[in-house]
Amino acid sequence: MLNSGDSTYPVDQPRLHIKGGYSLAGEVRISGAKNSALVLMAGALLADDTCYLRNVPALADIGRMAEILQAIGVTVKEQSDGIEINAQDLNATNPPYALVSQLRASFFAIGPLLARLGVANVPLPGGCAIGARPVELHVRGLQALGAEVIIDHGVVQAYAPKLKGAKIYLDYPSVGATETLMMAATLADGETVIDNAAQEPEVVDLANFCIAMGAKIYGAGTNSITIVGVDRLHGTEYDIIPDRIEASTFLLAAAITHSEISLAPIIPGHLTAAIAKLEEIGAKIKLEGPQRLRIIPAETYSGSDIETLPYPGFPTDMQSLFMSLLAVSKGNSLVSETVFENRFGHVPELNRMGADIRVKGNHAVIRGVPFLSGAPVMGTDLRATAALVVAGLAAKGETIVHGLQHLDRGYEAIEIKLGQLGAKLERRGGVTQPVKC
Ligand code: UD1
């Protein structure tokens, strides 16, 4: 262990050494959306022949999802521009705990397994750093579709020889529950309506993928989704949407370093909340084409209030990234996190870099400071770690970001992409270990 100041940080783990204060320039390519790719991989279990997913990001989480699918009899082949998944021989109903516990998104397998095989035994994914993350909305929805569900020894055991369409109201527009139930309903008897459904772009991407496989789904992207069950889904080829959270990470990296960069491909409509907030605090965003935008930074930014909400509200996944910028913006800001109960892991670390942020309950009060100073910091979850990288790009001196096992779950080649834009950063240390979430 390395002693740095009053904290201890592991020196044998991978870490990013960032020299702050350098401007960025040029264009960055945005990868496929992690959260779409993960659920679409599970969705491919619904088809009884080959699905080909393109624009799949090369991430630790994708590798874990592939292992989970292989463990239940699915063929997963990495090809030059995508992943081929064939679930014709889907034969096991119980993805192993050792794998599921490494990746929450693997719980998505429950809907397709139940729809295809009539049985699913999927370990409860458990909580993670950002919150308890229960799955009772998934379970109640599956029960509404006619499944018998019991939870025994930490395993959700679901049984339904044939699911039946139903009217389901979600108490909260959960992204995961909407996706689980939409997948399950594609092969059910009759019509399912999911009310108070999540409207996130990744839900729409899943619906479009299922439609390409032959599913009948109407209204995805609104708060009421109707699914008319069909007898079977067939294989298809599909391009995953660009990752709106990765895009916003680069927007914030540019804003905080007062740099002008272009991003492509992006879907501007998926970034509405981020663009509105960046423009409100002083940056300018120029659309340069249907899938390309340019950020023009301000000399100084003004503080602002943010409240995270389900889509189309301000995304919880962008909260930490904006907090890094607000930490060096003029005046006071108030950030309220309403989606997850424990998503301020970046705050103590930003404060170690000289930020002035106080947390009370689910609110963070930020008093803007003129600059941040480089320091060794520890990422506690995926987006908290990304926020520390963003902060490090602007901080005076060297920032050493630990906790890269989190970062690598969700960012493809982040240090290479930032390096190509002109950032001065280097990865050192051992190989990243898997982490649960
Ligand atoms: C997905 C995203 C995650 C994003 C989140 C919100 C994936 C793999 N992950 O997570 O990056 O931050 O959407 O946009 O797509 N809840 C319940 N009971 C349930 C289900 C959820 O109480 O049965 C609660 C959760 O604990 C949380 C809130 O609802 O407080 C939102 O969760 P949800 O929308 O389900 O997020 P995920 O699908 O887990």
Side-chain angles (χ1 to χ4, degrees):
M1 299 288 250
L2 165 77
N3 279 317
S4 10
D6 55 356
S7 299
T8 54
Y9 292 88
V11 288
D12 54 346
Q13 294 289 317
R15 57 202 182 273
L16 275 184
H17 289 247
I18 305 172
K19 283 194 183 132
Y22 288 87
S23 296
L24 311 181
E27 177 174 315
V28 61
R29 186 189 64 79
I30 301 303
S31 300
K34 167 184 87 87
N35 286 349
S36 270
L38 288 171
V39 71
L40 266 64
M41 287 174 78
L45 301 182
L46 290 164
D48 54 16
D49 61 273
T50 304
C51 288
Y52 197 91
L53 295 176
R54 277 186 297 261
N55 205 23
V56 179
L59 298 171
D61 273 7
I62 298 293
R64 278 170 215 143
M65 193 64 166
E67 275 182 56
I68 288 161
L69 299 188
Q70 283 161 342
I72 52 176
V74 177
T75 309
V76 184
K77 284 191 201 149
E78 204 178 315
Q79 305 290 10
S80 57
D81 67 341
I83 297 185
E84 195 180 289
I85 302 174
N86 186 313
Q88 189 178 9
D89 298 328
L90 180 67
N91 53 25
T93 58
N94 52 343
Y97 175 73
L99 294 177
V100 173
S101 63
Q102 289 177 29
L103 179 67
R104 273 191 60 82
S106 57
F107 192 73
F108 287 138
I110 196 166
L113 279 175
L114 199 53
R116 279 278 311 277
L117 303 179
V119 187
N121 297 296
V122 184
L124 279 168
C128 72
I130 62 173
R133 304 184 85 173
V135 290
E136 88 286 357
L137 296 173
H138 306 235
V139 168
R140 271 196 256 139
L142 293 174
Q143 287 168 330
L145 292 173
E148 281 173 34
V149 187
I150 57 164
I151 299 175
D152 193 29
H153 296 292
V155 177
V156 181
Q157 301 176 0
Y159 171 75
K162 185 74 182 165
L163 292 168
K164 293 193 173 46
K167 218 168 155 35
I168 301 169
Y169 173 81
L170 295 177
D171 286 342
Y172 184 90
S174 154
V175 175
T178 303
E179 292 170 337
T180 290
L181 300 174
M182 192 162 75
M183 287 189 280
T186 56
L187 293 176
D189 267 342
E191 182 179 286
T192 298
V193 178
I194 307 173
D195 280 325
N196 200 25
Q199 302 173 51
E200 268 70 0
E202 295 76 19
V203 172
V204 180
D205 212 25
L206 175 63
N208 288 337
F209 173 56
C210 291
I211 291 167
M213 291 191 290
K216 293 192 174 150
I217 302 176
Y218 311 94
T222 74
N223 63 2
S224 181
I225 304 177
T226 300
I227 304 115
V228 180
V230 295
D231 288 340
R232 72 172 277 261
L233 296 184
H234 53 75
T236 190
E237 293 188 13
Y238 192 82
D239 287 295
I240 289 165
I241 55 169
D243 195 311
R244 62 196 169 106
I245 314 299
E246 190 201 16
S248 65
T249 306
F250 283 101
L251 286 174
L252 271 295
I256 202 167
T257 55
H258 305 281
S259 307
E260 190 172 320
I261 64 165
S262 292
L263 293 81
I266 50 96
I267 298 177
H270 295 176
L271 291 166
T272 303
I275 290 173
K277 194 49 73 176
L278 280 166
E279 288 187 326
E280 181 195 321
I281 65 180
K284 289 199 176 70
I285 305 289
K286 242 173 65 184
L287 287 183
E288 295 188 319
Q291 294 221 317
R292 177 188 309 271
L293 60 73
R294 173 173 288 270
I295 174 165
I296 297 137
E299 255 173 50
T300 54
Y301 300 95
S302 50
S304 175
D305 294 348
I306 287 177
E307 182 177 354
T308 64
L309 289 167
Y311 193 87
F314 189 93
T316 172
D317 283 353
M318 297 182 193
Q319 176 259 106
S320 59
L321 303 163
F322 271 80
M323 206 183 291
S324 293
L325 180 62
L326 294 175
V328 287
S329 299
K330 276 206 165 134
N332 297 334
S333 303
L334 177 67
V335 172
S336 306
E337 172 57 60
T338 75
V339 179
F340 288 106
E341 63 271 28
N342 191 17
R343 217 167 190 185
F344 284 143
H346 44 289
V347 170
E349 302 303 289
L350 287 175
N351 283 344
R352 297 192 74 252
M353 297 174 73
D356 181 352
I357 308 173
R358 275 181 309 130
V359 171
K360 187 125 204 246
N362 67 329
H363 304 290
V365 179
I366 303 155
R367 289 205 186 102
V369 295
F371 61 88
L372 297 174
S373 313
V377 286
M378 178 63 79
T380 50
D381 64 67
L382 170 55
R383 305 304 170 190
T385 314
L388 298 174
V389 173
V390 166
L393 294 172
K396 289 191 175 173
E398 187 179 60
T399 297
I400 304 171
V401 180
H402 297 263
L404 298 194
Q405 71 276 25
H406 299 293
L407 196 69
D408 292 340
R409 291 185 37 234
Y411 290 91
E412 184 177 52
I414 188 166
E415 71 267 28
I416 294 171
K417 290 186 182 187
L418 283 170
Q420 284 167 349
L421 291 172
K424 302 281 177 255
L425 76 177
E426 191 192 341
R427 180 180 291 244
R428 296 186 201 158
V431 178
T432 292
Q433 296 301 311
V435 66
K436 172 182 175 177
C437 200

